[in-house]
Amino acid sequence: MESMGKKKARPRRSFTSEFKAEIVELCRRGDRSVGQVAKDFDLTETAVRGWVKQAKVDGGERDGLTSSEREELAVLRRENRRLREDVEVLKRATAFFAKETR
């Protein structure tokens, strides 16, 4: 009864940018639909549609953040988070030492 209606979660896979570019090219040729390409390569249709959409953004055919901009944004967010943590540590240290000097 438990397995009815629930699909087993697929393990997360990663793909090279070359592989993604080949899949996008297959979709752009128009020989097969996005759904058919996804099925042929055992990919999710959502992932393939996302790759096609990102390729259009990178190619200037669509508005949005390019892949390099997304990567830069992720790096900046990680750095910002690390700096906020550093500031928090310094605040705690300042409060600790201010209490000790009284």
Side-chain angles (χ1 to χ4, degrees):
M1 284 281 242
E2 290 179 20
S3 64
M4 288 182 55
K6 290 187 179 182
K7 290 185 179 179
K8 185 176 181 181
R10 170 185 270 191
R12 187 160 186 86
R13 301 180 293 173
S14 62
F15 302 98
T16 63
S17 54
E18 292 82 16
F19 177 77
K20 291 177 185 180
E22 289 178 26
I23 297 297
V24 167
E25 183 57 35
L26 285 173
C27 293
R28 284 187 169 178
R29 279 191 208 145
D31 300 343
R32 297 182 271 183
S33 68
V34 171
Q36 187 59 48
V37 170
K39 190 174 188 180
D40 291 347
F41 287 89
D42 190 32
L43 302 167
T44 63
E45 192 171 336
T46 305
V48 175
R49 286 190 190 284
W51 297 346
V52 170
K53 179 181 173 184
Q54 188 62 49
K56 287 180 180 179
V57 170
D58 291 345
E61 303 169 36
R62 184 182 179 127
D63 288 338
L65 293 176
T66 64
S67 295
S68 60
E69 290 171 334
R70 284 182 183 277
E71 188 177 325
E72 181 182 8
L73 182 59
V75 167
L76 291 172
R77 284 181 173 164
R78 278 193 300 273
E79 183 180 1
N80 193 3
R81 183 173 45 249
R82 187 187 58 78
L83 291 171
R84 287 179 190 270
E85 290 170 357
D86 290 351
V87 166
E88 189 60 35
V89 168
L90 291 172
K91 282 181 182 177
R92 289 180 187 164
T94 302
F96 174 79
F97 288 117
K99 199 170 20 169
E100 289 289 318
T101 58
R102 289 183 186 180

